[in-house]
Amino acid sequence: MERTLGCCYYPEHWDETIWSSDAQRMAQLGLTWVRIGEFAWSRIEPEPGAFDWDWLDRAIDILGQAGLKVVLGTPTATPPRWVVDKHPDMLAVDAQGQTRGFGSRRHYCFSHSGYLQESRRIVRMLAERYGQNPCVAAWQTDNEYGCHDTVISYSQAAREAFRDWLRVQFPAQEGNAGDIEALNTAWGNVFWSMEYRDFDDIDLPNLTVTEPNPAHALAFRRFSSEQVVRFNRAQVEIIREYTTAPIAHNYMGRVTDFDHFAVGADLEISSWDSYPLGFLEDRVGASEQAQRAYARQGDPDFQAFHHDLYRAVGRAGSNGAKPRLWVMEQQPGPVNWAPYNPAPLPGMVRLWTWEAFAHGAEAVLYFRWRQAPFAQEQLHAGLLRPDSENAPGADEAAQVAIELKNAKNVEIVQSNVGLIFDYAAEWSWNVQPQGQGLSYFGLVFDHYCALRRAGLSVDILPPDATGLEGYDLILAPGMMHMPDPLKEALNNSGAQILIGPRSAARDAHFSIPTPLPPGWNGLDTLVARLETLRPDLPRPLEGGGSVQNWLETLEGTAQPVLSLQDGTTVAVRAGSVTYNGAWLDEAGLDRLVADLCAQAGLEVTVMPEGLRRRDTGAERFWFNYSGQSIDCEAGTVPAAGVLRETLG
Amino acid sequence: MERTLGCCYYPEHWDETIWSSDAQRMAQLGLTWVRIGEFAWSRIEPEPGAFDWDWLDRAIDILGQAGLKVVLGTPTATPPRWVVDKHPDMLAVDAQGQTRGFGSRRHYCFSHSGYLQESRRIVRMLAERYGQNPCVAAWQTDNEYGCHDTVISYSQAAREAFRDWLRVQFPAQEGNAGDIEALNTAWGNVFWSMEYRDFDDIDLPNLTVTEPNPAHALAFRRFSSEQVVRFNRAQVEIIREYTTAPIAHNYMGRVTDFDHFAVGADLEISSWDSYPLGFLEDRVGASEQAQRAYARQGDPDFQAFHHDLYRAVGRAGSNGAKPRLWVMEQQPGPVNWAPYNPAPLPGMVRLWTWEAFAHGAEAVLYFRWRQAPFAQEQLHAGLLRPDSENAPGADEAAQVAIELKNAKNVEIVQSNVGLIFDYAAEWSWNVQPQGQGLSYFGLVFDHYCALRRAGLSVDILPPDATGLEGYDLILAPGMMHMPDPLKEALNNSGAQILIGPRSAARDAHFSIPTPLPPGWNGLDTLVARLETLRPDLPRPLEGGGSVQNWLETLEGTAQPVLSLQDGTTVAVRAGSVTYNGAWLDEAGLDRLVADLCAQAGLEVTVMPEGLRRRDTGAERFWFNYSGQSIDCEAGTVPAAGVLRETLG
Amino acid sequence: MERTLGCCYYPEHWDETIWSSDAQRMAQLGLTWVRIGEFAWSRIEPEPGAFDWDWLDRAIDILGQAGLKVVLGTPTATPPRWVVDKHPDMLAVDAQGQTRGFGSRRHYCFSHSGYLQESRRIVRMLAERYGQNPCVAAWQTDNEYGCHDTVISYSQAAREAFRDWLRVQFPAQEGNAGDIEALNTAWGNVFWSMEYRDFDDIDLPNLTVTEPNPAHALAFRRFSSEQVVRFNRAQVEIIREYTTAPIAHNYMGRVTDFDHFAVGADLEISSWDSYPLGFLEDRVGASEQAQRAYARQGDPDFQAFHHDLYRAVGRAGSNGAKPRLWVMEQQPGPVNWAPYNPAPLPGMVRLWTWEAFAHGAEAVLYFRWRQAPFAQEQLHAGLLRPDSENAPGADEAAQVAIELKNAKNVEIVQSNVGLIFDYAAEWSWNVQPQGQGLSYFGLVFDHYCALRRAGLSVDILPPDATGLEGYDLILAPGMMHMPDPLKEALNNSGAQILIGPRSAARDAHFSIPTPLPPGWNGLDTLVARLETLRPDLPRPLEGGGSVQNWLETLEGTAQPVLSLQDGTTVAVRAGSVTYNGAWLDEAGLDRLVADLCAQAGLEVTVMPEGLRRRDTGAERFWFNYSGQSIDCEAGTVPAAGVLRETLG
Ligand SMILES: [Zn+2]
Ligand SMILES: [Zn+2]
Ligand SMILES: [Zn+2]
C-alpha cells in the first residue's frame, strides 16, 4: 500500500484568484489528497432550493488539474440558517433542557426526521453532480460526529424516537406497540415504582430528581448511538448510488458517545482527526507531571491507541480487502481550542505522521492548508500562515513527502497482543462509575499503555470479534456486558486471556447476573463484593505496585496470581484465563503484563520514558516522544524523532 | 427497653417463591423488624383507582408467620407515572427554574395540593387495610424527606402557598389579606426599593440579579420547612384514625432543610438512616487527612451526633414516655452513592450497631436485606448478596443479635452536658454565611466533637427547650435568633452556659437588634464588629490554638477568658455565662471546653485519636474508630471494636 | 482644588427623627458631601404616577441646613415591583437563557425601550423638582452600571436592538435595511455556513453548540457597551435641562463590560467605588501569597490603577477644565460580599483616602454613613455602627478631615509615563483568550504594577488619545485592534513606545490582517506564530525572569532586546518602538521596564515590597501597604501609613 499525504482545504474561504497557486503549491509540497466541501452548504445552496455549483465545479477542476485527488465532504455538519428556520425543532437539546442554537456547527439532533430529509436531499444533489467526477476520489460524510458533545440530545424528536426504538427492543407478540411489561421487568422498574404502563410514558433520562435507572440511561445511550449510525447510513446509501469511490467519516479523538464499529461497518475508510497537543490538555486524563513533560509532544500512547483502534473500525472491501485507515486531520502546529495551546516541538509533526503510517495509515491529511484569518478557528495553525508563507508544519510535511518517496512500504501484520474495546462498556461505566472519575476508556487505556511500555505492538479488537486466532495474549478488561459468543471465542482463541475488573458484570439490560460475575466457563471465581477507593488511598500489592480506584473481593478456587500485602487475593487464574479484580497502578500493571507475557511466551522489553516502538512486517519503528535523545538497542533516537529498524 | 435488630425488605423486588425462606432466614439471623412497602405504590395501585392488595397481604402474612414485626411504609416518596400525568404541576422546580422530572424518586413539591390529596388517599387506603393487622407493629411515613435536595421547590404551587403563608405571618387587622406594610418594614424592603404593594407581588427568592433580601430568603426556608411538617402531619392524622401503632419517619443524615423537631413532634419514633462511609465522603466536611484515616470506619463523631440529635426529636408518649429512637437504615457494606465507596473495616457494622444502642436506640434495621441486582441501587450492599449468600454485614449483624441476648439493657440517663441545635439557625447561616463555606452545622459539630474528645457524653437539645435543669454545662453557639424564653431558661438553668459566636445576632425577621448582640442579661458585652477570615489566615491565640473563619470584636466590661496573641479579647465571661466571639480550631476549642468543664466541675478525659466513649446508666461504652487497637483505662479496645465497662 | 470628604446616606432607611442629628454629626466629622436618593424609587413613587416628594424635600433641606452639599442619585438601578409588572419583558436574560428576576437590584435590560421611557420619566420628575435646589450640588446617574454582570443581556429586547445596531454598522447604500453581505464578509461567516440572508437571522451569541464566531461575539460586546452609553446619556440630557450642577456616575472597580471612556464623555465627574479588601478577595487575581499578605490592606496597586484610570475618564469642562475625579464609595470597614470579609488594618481607611487624593481625587465619600440593620448589606460596615456609635472607620475619616485642613492642596501634573487602556481590547481577549484565564486587564495591570514597582507615576490614557506629547514612555500592550491614527500618534509622540504582545493583531471586525501583525510603520517585525503556555511551564529568559502564558514567534530585522535562554528572540526594537511578543513574569517585566526607562531617560527606584509612591506637583506621597514600617529615602513610613515628602 502506497503512503500518501494531503490537506484540508476550503476554497470558499479564499479569493478564487489564488486557488490555482494553492493547488500547485500543494502538489509541489508532495501532497496527494485534498479534502473540501464539508462546511460549504451555505455556498452550495445559499437559498432553499437555489444551488450554486459553479464555484465548486471550478475548485474541483483546478485541484484536479494540479494532480490532486479530491475527498468531497457532505456539508451536513453545518446546515445554514434557513434550514434551521424551516425546522426550528431540529436543534438538539442539552441535558439541562436548553436548546442548542445556530451560530457555530453541529446544531442538529440526529433524531429529527425533517433534518434527516434535508441531509438526504443535499447529499443526493452532491453525489449526483460529483459521483462520477474523475477528480473526486473519496467521500466524507458530515464531520466529526459527536464533537462538542452532540451525540446525545434531549429533544422532543429524540424522546419520540427513543420510545419507538424501545418498542422494537421489547416487541409485542403482535403489532408494534411494544411489550411494556418486558421493559419494566428487564429494567427492574419496580424498584422505585418507576413502572410504565405504556411506552409513551417513558421520558428521556435527564432532569430526574436523583440518578435515573441505569438501565434506562444505558438504553438511551445505545439508542443515541444507533441514531448516529442511521444518520450516517442514510448518506452512505445515497452516495453509493452514484459512485464506487470509498467513503470515510472523520472520527474525533476520544469521542466515545457512539459505536464507531457500527458506523464504520458502512464505510470503506476509517479516518480520524489527530490533535496530540490539544488532546493532552483536554482529554487524555494524564497526570499533571505528564502534561508538563509532553506539553509540546502529546501523550506517547494516545495517538497510537487511536490508530490501532481505527485500524479495526471499518468495512472490509468486497474483495476481502482490509478496511483502510486514514488520518483525515493532522495537527500541524498550535491549535486554538485547548486550555493552553503551545507549539509542537520541532520534529513532532513529522513524528506524528510517521507514527500514523507505522500503525497502518494509508493517508495523512493536515488540517488545514492555510490558517483562516477569520471566524472561530483563526488561531488554528495551517501548513501556511494567513499571509500564505510556509508555517513550520509545512516544512515537516515536505520532509515526510520526500522520505516517503525513498522509503519502502509499511507492511501491517497481525500483532501478538489483542485488546478489546467496547463502546457500550464505556457507556455502562459512564452510567455507573461507582467511583468519581472512573471510566472504561481510562481503564482500557491504562492497559494499552502498559502493553506499550513493555515494547509490544497491539491490535485493538471489536467486542463482536470472532476470529481471535493468532493472538498470544488478549485483554478484555472492564467490558461490563460480555455476550456468550465472545466468551466462547476468547476461551477458544488459544491465547492467554485477561479479563476483569468488572468484565461480564451485567446482563444485556444492566442487571447483575446470578451466579455472580464473571460467570466464566472454566474459571471458578466470583466477585463477592466491590469497593471503590479514594485516589489517595491506594492499597499496596505484595511484590510491588498498588491497587487504585477499584477493588473486587474474589471467591473461588482459581489460583491466586496477585495479592495485597495483607494477603487478599486480587487476581486469579485457571488455565489460560486470568481474572484481575483490581484497577492496578502503573507498577502493578507492568507486573501483570510481564506475568501474562511470560505465560504467553512473549518477550517484554521495558521502554525508556518517552520511547515507544511499533512492529510492522519487516521493520520496527522507534518513536521518541521525549525532549531528549534516547539510546535504544537499534541506535540513538533523536528528541522528537523517528528511527526505522529493519527486522531480522 | 429491649434492643432489637431488623432489616429493610422489598418483597415486590423478588419472586414470591423466596419470600418464605427470606423471612425464615431473617428470623434465624436474629432480626425482629422488617420494614416494607415504602416504594411500592405502582404495585399497590398499578392503575388509577385499581388496587392490588393480594401480594402485600401475602407478604405481610409470610413475614408475620416467621415471627417478624412489620414496619409498613407509606409509598408517597415514589408516586407512579400516572400520578404525575394526572398532576403535571406537582413536580418540584429547582433553583434554576428547571422542573425536576419523573424517573427516580421524591419527584413532588410539598406545596402541591393535588399531590397532597393523592397522598392522603393512598395513605388512607393503606391504613384502612392494615391498621389493625397484628403483624404491622409500626408505620413509617414517606422516605427520607429532603434527600436529594427536595425540601425546597421553586414551583408555582410553592409560590402561591408561600404568599398565603406570609399573609398568615403578617396578618391584617381583619380578613386574611395580610398586612403588606408590616412585611415591608420587618424585612427592610425599602433598602433597594423592594417594597411590595400586595402579597401577590412576592416571588420566590431565586433567580434574582444578586442575592435576595436575607429576610425574604429565610422566610422561604421557614415556609419550606413547614410544608414538610404539614405534609407529614396529613399522613399521621390519617394513620392514627386506624391504628395505635407508633409512627416513624426515617430522617436522612445531615439533611437540615426542615425542622426535624417540628416533624418529630407528630411521631412516636424518631428514626434515621445511618451511612457512615457515604457520609464521610460526601457530607461530614472532614479534613482530607481525616477522610483518609476514617475512610473505612466513618467519622468518629458523626453517627453519635445524629443519635444524640434524634434522641431529642420525637413525640413524648401519652404516658409521658420518652420518644423512641431507631436507626431505620444502617449501612451494612459498601454503598453506591458516595464519590468513593469502600467496604467497612471488619467489625464496623457491629460497632455502628452497638454505638446506636449506647446512644439510646431501641432498634437498628439494616438496609437492605438483599442487594438488588437491578435499578439505581444495584451496587448498594445488603445483608445478602444478589445471589442470596451472606454478605459480611450479615455475619456482624448475627453476632450483635447473639450479643444482645446476653447483654444487659442499656439505660439512658441525662448527660451532664447539653448542646442546643436549631434548624432555623442553620438556614440563617446558609442565607448569610458571610464567609465562604461557613455553616451553623459545621460550627455546632465542631463543638460536639470537642466535647467528645474530652470524653463527655452529650444531650442535644431543641431550641425551644424549657426544662434545662440538671445540666452542668450547656452550649448554644451560633444560634442567630434566640427567643427571650430560651435566654431566660439558659440563665436560670444553673449550668455553665456558652454562647457565641453569632448567638442572638438577629431578631425574628433577620435584622440586627439594637443594643447590638448578644444583648444578654447580666453579660456586659456586645459585638462591635465581625470579620471572616481566609482559611489560610488563622489568628493565633495566646496560650495555644487559633481563631479561624470567624472573629468578632467584643466591647464591654465582661471578664476576658480567651485572647489573641496581640491581646485582643476573644471570649468573655460574667457569672456562669461565657460569650465566645470566635470560631476556634480544634486546639482552641479543646482549651475552651477544658475551661468550661473546670467551671462546671466536670472531669475531662482526653480521648486518644479515634477512641470515643459514651456513658449510660450503669455502663460506659468505648468505641474504637481507628484501625489499631487502643489501650484505655478500661482495657484494650480492639481496632474497629467495642468495649463495655461497668460503671461504679 | 480643595479636597473634601463625604458619605452615602439613605434617609429613607431611618426614622425621620434622627435625620437632623445625623446631618450634624456628618458635618462635625468634617464631611462636605452626602449622596442620597439612588435606591429610593419606591418611596418617591410608591404607586404608578403617585409621587411622594415631601420626605425627600425634608431630607435635602435638613442636610443642607447642616451645611452639607447633596449629591442626588437617580433611582433607576432599583425599579419598584410595579414597574416590572408594567414591563415584564424589561428583565435581563442571562447567558443560559434564564430571566433575571425582581428582588434585588439592577433588574433591567439596557435595551428595553419601555424601561428606558420609565427611567426618563422618573429622572425628569427628579430633575424638575431638584434641578434648582441650592442644596443639590451634584447628580449621580443610576448606580454601578455593570455590577452583578448586568451589562450583557440575552433578552428579546437586546436581540432586536442588536439587529438594528448591526444594520447601522453595515449600512445599505440606501434605506436602513443594512448590507448583510458586508456583514457576512467582515465576519467571515462563510467559515461554517454561518452566512445570514437578513439581519433578522442574527441571534445573540449565546447557547451555540460550540463557540460562536468571535466577530459576532465582539460585535455583541460593543453593542452592549453602547446600550449603556445610550441609557446613561438619556438621563444626562434630561438632567441638564434643569441644572448646571456636575453629573457623575459611580463606576464599580474591575467592571469592564462597557466603555467607561464613552459613558464618561457625557459626565463632568468620573467617580468610582473603591472596596480594596473585597476586590483583593474576588477580582484582583493576585497570587495566594499576595492574597494572604494583603488580606487586610488590599492590593498595593489596584486602587491606584483605578484612580489613574478614572482620572482619564470624564468630560472636559466647557472652560477646558479637566474632568473631575471622585471616589463615590470608599470602604470604611469589613464588607459583606467577598468570599472572606476581614477588617482593614488600622490606618488603611486613612491610607486609602489619602491615596485617592494623591491620585487626583477631589472628593472621597465613605459608603455608608450608618450600617443598615436589615436587608442585603446588613454586614457592610458604615462609618457608624447600627447602634449609631462610631465604627473605627469614622475615626480615621475624622483624622483625614483634620489633616485636610492643614495640608496644602495636591497639585496633579502630567506623569512621565503613559499606559493605554482600551475596553474593546478587554472584550476581544474575553472573546478569544486562547489560553485559560488570560485577560487584557491582567496583562495591562501586570505592566502597571511593574511601573509602580519601579517607583514611577503613571497616567492612564484612552485608546483614542491624540495628544500624546510630553510623555517619555508610553505602553500599549495587548490592544488587539489599534486604529491607524493611534499608531501614528504613538509614533509621533516623541516617547519610547512599548507594544505587544497581541497589539494590533486584529482588524476592526476581528480578522487577522495581512501583512501579519503588528504591521507597524518603521518596525520590521511580524508575529509568525503564537503559543499559550501552561502556568507550570514558563520559559526562562536569558538574563533573568521568564515568559509565562503567552509567547509569540517574531520574524524580521528589528533589533532583539530580550530572548529566551534557547536564543529565541522575544522582544525587538527599532528606533523608539519596542515590540514585546511575550507575557513576562514580574522579574521579566521589571527588566523590561528598567530597559525602557533607560531608553527614555527615566530614573528607576525599586520599591520595597508593599511600598508605593506617587508624585504630584510639589509633593511625593509614600504609601505603605504592608503590615510593617518601611524605611525609604524620605524617612520611615509606618505600617498602613502615609508619608508626604516635599519635592525639590
Ligand atoms: Zn476538525
Ligand atoms: Zn434510604
Ligand atoms: Zn455600591
Side-chain angles (χ1 to χ4, degrees), chain C residues 12-25:
Chain C
E12 71 274 22
H13 292 182
W14 311 105
D15 195 287
E16 195 164 335
T17 57
I18 63 168
W19 291 359
S20 178
S21 71
D22 276 345
Q24 283 155 32
R25 287 179 70 184

Side-chain angles (χ1 to χ4, degrees), chain B residues 1-4 307-308 311 322 325 353-364 400 403-414 457 614-623 642-645 647:
Chain B
M1 182 174 59
E2 198 193 352
R3 267 65 193 167
T4 50
H307 296 317
D308 290 345
R311 200 171 62 245
K322 294 246 174 181
L325 170 66
T353 309
W354 270 112
E355 192 180 34
F357 291 140
H359 284 263
E362 171 189 347
V364 175
V400 176
E403 291 170 344
L404 279 172
K405 285 190 192 149
N406 308 311
K408 59 179 144 187
N409 281 342
V410 174
E411 185 192 338
I412 299 303
V413 294
Q414 181 171 341
S457 294
R614 159 84 190 159
D615 288 349
T616 61
E619 280 180 303
R620 171 169 285 172
F621 284 83
W622 299 81
F623 299 101
V642 184
L643 189 72
R644 297 179 76 158
E645 175 192 9
L647 286 180

Side-chain angles (χ1 to χ4, degrees), chain A residues 325-594:
Chain A
L325 170 66
W326 286 26
V327 174
M328 192 66 89
E329 303 183 6
Q330 173 61 58
Q331 174 169 10
V335 298
N336 64 305
W337 45 264
Y340 307 101
N341 295 293
L345 273 190
M348 287 309 301
V349 172
R350 171 176 170 262
L351 183 155
W352 296 328
T353 308
W354 269 113
E355 192 180 33
F357 291 139
H359 284 263
E362 171 189 347
V364 175
L365 285 72
Y366 300 96
F367 182 91
R368 48 190 281 159
W369 173 245
R370 185 191 292 103
Q371 182 177 346
F374 46 66
Q376 279 91 336
E377 295 181 351
Q378 56 185 249
L379 288 179
H380 192 301
L383 292 178
L384 304 194
R385 305 188 322 207
D387 63 356
S388 297
E389 295 295 314
N390 273 11
D395 300 330
E396 298 196 22
Q399 183 185 349
V400 177
I402 291 164
E403 290 169 344
L404 280 173
K405 285 188 194 151
N406 309 310
K408 59 180 142 184
N409 282 343
V410 174
E411 185 193 338
I412 299 302
V413 294
Q414 181 171 339
S415 303
N416 298 313
V417 182
L419 173 63
I420 293 181
F421 188 81
D422 175 26
Y423 287 89
E426 168 82 345
W427 311 329
S428 297
W429 281 70
N430 284 172
V431 159
Q432 187 184 71
Q434 181 69 2
Q436 195 170 268
L438 303 188
S439 78
Y440 172 75
F441 185 94
L443 179 73
V444 172
F445 189 59
D446 277 5
H447 283 75
Y448 181 80
C449 295
L451 293 169
R452 300 250 303 166
R453 285 193 301 272
L456 299 166
S457 294
V458 181
D459 286 351
I460 293 184
L461 303 169
D464 59 356
T466 46
L468 296 175
E469 297 77 23
Y471 291 106
D472 299 312
L473 173 60
I474 302 176
L475 282 59
M479 188 177 161
M480 286 180 67
H481 174 61
M482 297 184 85
D484 289 336
L486 175 64
K487 290 177 169 185
E488 234 167 281
L490 286 168
N491 268 352
N492 297 337
S493 67
Q496 290 289 318
I497 304 297
L498 175 72
I499 53 171
R502 221 176 188 182
S503 294
R506 292 293 179 278
D507 71 13
H509 293 292
F510 214 84
S511 282
I512 301 172
T514 300
L516 292 179
W520 200 274
N521 225 333
L523 179 74
D524 181 23
T525 195
L526 66 78
V527 178
R529 183 162 77 172
L530 65 89
E531 310 181 60
T532 50
L533 311 179
R534 295 173 57 86
D536 52 7
L537 281 180
R539 302 212 190 143
L541 290 169
E542 185 62 37
S546 288
V547 172
Q548 58 187 4
N549 303 332
W550 188 277
L551 177 59
E552 298 171 350
T553 304
L554 304 181
E555 281 187 11
T557 61
Q559 181 68 26
V561 296
L562 269 183
S563 60
L564 297 181
Q565 285 183 3
D566 69 8
T568 310
T569 296
V570 154
V572 296
R573 178 175 299 149
S576 62
V577 180
T578 302
Y579 187 92
N580 166 31
W583 191 316
L584 302 176
D585 67 356
E586 279 196 19
L589 267 176
D590 286 345
R591 285 181 55 213
L592 181 60
V593 163

